Amino acid sequence: IVVCVMSAVIVTYSIAKKILSLSTGKPQTSSSSKEREYFISIDVSDALSLYNQAQNFFERGEYKNVVQYCYNAIKDVFAKVLSHFNISPEDLNVVDMSYIVQVKGVRVSFIDHVQHANFIRLRMIVGQMVSKDEVSWMLKTCKAIIDMSKELPIAL
């Protein structure tokens, strides 16, 4: 009985110690991250214009133009975000730009979506077929990136 009671006390002590160490660590982390977070506003009017043109091309079935205009709209958004960080986007593609944006502290990750959008564009460039659904996805993704980029959370 004594061994069982001692084992229970040791297990309870270990669990309590872990819970206390976790609970005391979390508030410090979250309060410090809130103090170092701010938002930047991006002018997305040029990107919206490109998106609207892409939408017109989609209605006419000109998918190659849709993909290119969406790509250009996404690139315009990222170029403006990078200019906030004083980075020139001249020799960068959208995947590079989205990675740099992430590294610089933007709290929204675009990398996976941008990689897929870039892949669709590359397939169009080499003459591979792209489905209407993929082009539609490209339009929706482009619009989502534009909308989310109007005000971006940044963490230092």
Side-chain angles (χ1 to χ4, degrees), residues 24-138:
T24 57
K26 285 184 181 177
Q28 294 172 351
T29 305
S30 64
S31 66
S32 64
S33 67
K34 286 181 182 177
E35 293 173 356
R36 300 182 324 180
E37 183 174 296
Y38 65 98
F39 291 85
I40 60 170
S41 296
I42 302 298
D43 176 18
V44 295
S45 59
D46 294 336
L48 270 175
S49 175
L50 292 167
Y51 168 78
N52 289 333
Q53 291 174 342
Q55 222 175 7
N56 291 335
F57 285 123
F58 184 77
E59 292 168 4
R60 291 185 288 205
E62 298 178 33
Y63 298 151
K64 188 172 185 173
N65 287 331
V66 173
V67 171
Q68 189 58 49
Y69 274 75
C70 285
Y71 181 88
N72 291 342
I74 293 168
K75 191 169 185 171
D76 180 71
V77 167
F78 287 142
K80 289 179 179 172
V81 174
L82 289 176
S83 71
H84 174 77
F85 297 110
N86 297 318
I87 296 173
S88 175
E90 293 174 10
D91 296 329
L92 302 172
N93 65 34
V94 291
V95 177
D96 298 337
M97 292 172 147
S98 66
Y99 177 76
I100 294 170
V101 163
Q102 181 90 33
V103 169
K104 286 297 186 177
V106 173
R107 308 242 1 186
V108 181
S109 178
F110 300 107
I111 294 173
D112 292 336
H113 290 87
V114 171
Q115 284 176 334
H116 188 66
N118 192 57
F119 180 67
I120 290 172
R121 178 177 167 265
L122 291 174
R123 286 183 31 224
M124 296 273 308
I125 289 172
V126 298
Q128 294 179 356
M129 290 299 297
V130 176
S131 71
K132 181 178 180 178
D133 289 340
E134 289 175 303
V135 176
S136 176
W137 177 89
M138 185 88 164

